[in-house]
């Protein structure tokens, strides 16, 4: 099973934003830190989810467990619904990607269990500021 830890960071809301993805399991140890431009934190969290699922799909895994400290992202995936129209395209893309796996789970985790992805997201913003 692949464990995909995702997080986002924004310096301001909206502001310069980055995403962090940490994938482990099935012999993988992948770290992704990307600057995604000026956006708000929720959009950044959904962007991290979509990118994490895209990366998992490239690894041809059938079992994927995503961990996120974003309650809105986890709840939206579980309910397959989001109120805010701005988030709908991200949710639709994430649901479409999640359906390509035989088994897909998403779980909320506290910040303390998501430090690797958080550090990668913050690093993306810092690296862009230099």
């Amino acid at each position: 099973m692949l464990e995909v830890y995702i997080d986002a960071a924004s310096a301001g809301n909206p502001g310069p934003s980055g995403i962090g993805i940490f994938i482990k399991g099935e012999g993988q140890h992948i770290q992704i830190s990307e600057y995604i431009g000026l956006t708000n934190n929720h959009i950044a969290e959904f962007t991290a989810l979509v990118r994490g699922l895209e990366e998992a799909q490239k690894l041809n895994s059938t079992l994927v467990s995503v961990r996120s400290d974003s309650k809105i992202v986890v709840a939206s995936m579980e309910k397959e619904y989001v109120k805010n129209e701005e988030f709908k395209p991200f949710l639709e893309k994430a649901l479409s990607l999640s359906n390509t796996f035989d088994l897909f789970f998403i779980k909320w985790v506290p910040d303390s269990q998501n430090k690797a992805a958080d550090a990668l997201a913050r690093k993306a913003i810092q690296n862009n500021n230099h």
Side-chain angles (χ1 to χ4, degrees):
M1 175 173 69
L2 278 184
E3 291 179 34
V4 182
Y5 291 82
I6 60 169
D7 204 1
S10 296
N13 202 15
S17 301
I19 59 171
I21 300 159
F22 175 58
I23 301 174
K24 66 180 189 176
E26 297 182 14
Q28 303 294 333
H29 190 91
I30 299 168
Q31 296 184 49
I32 297 166
S33 175
E34 285 180 4
Y35 179 74
I36 59 168
L38 298 177
T39 191
N40 68 53
N41 191 259
H42 291 314
I43 294 285
E45 293 281 2
F46 276 104
T47 302
L49 172 64
V50 170
R51 279 286 288 121
L53 291 172
E54 288 171 345
E55 291 301 317
Q57 195 177 45
K58 289 178 192 173
L59 301 170
N60 297 318
S61 182
T62 57
L63 284 150
V64 174
S65 177
V66 171
R67 316 285 168 88
S68 172
D69 58 24
S70 170
K71 290 184 178 174
I72 189 169
V73 165
V74 173
S76 298
M77 285 296 286
E78 287 174 343
K79 294 175 186 166
E80 298 186 7
Y81 174 79
V82 67
K83 281 185 198 169
N84 189 323
E85 290 290 327
E86 197 179 19
F87 305 153
K88 280 189 179 168
F90 297 96
L91 178 62
E92 287 169 8
K93 177 76 173 162
L95 288 169
S96 173
L97 287 163
S98 71
N99 288 331
T100 66
F101 305 111
D102 291 343
L103 276 173
F104 170 80
F105 305 96
I106 188 163
K107 180 182 176 189
W108 179 84
V109 294
D111 295 343
S112 62
Q113 292 178 26
N114 206 24
K115 287 184 177 164
D118 177 65
L120 290 165
R122 291 178 189 283
K123 183 175 136 190
I125 296 172
Q126 291 165 351
N127 288 349
N128 187 66
N129 288 336
H130 293 109

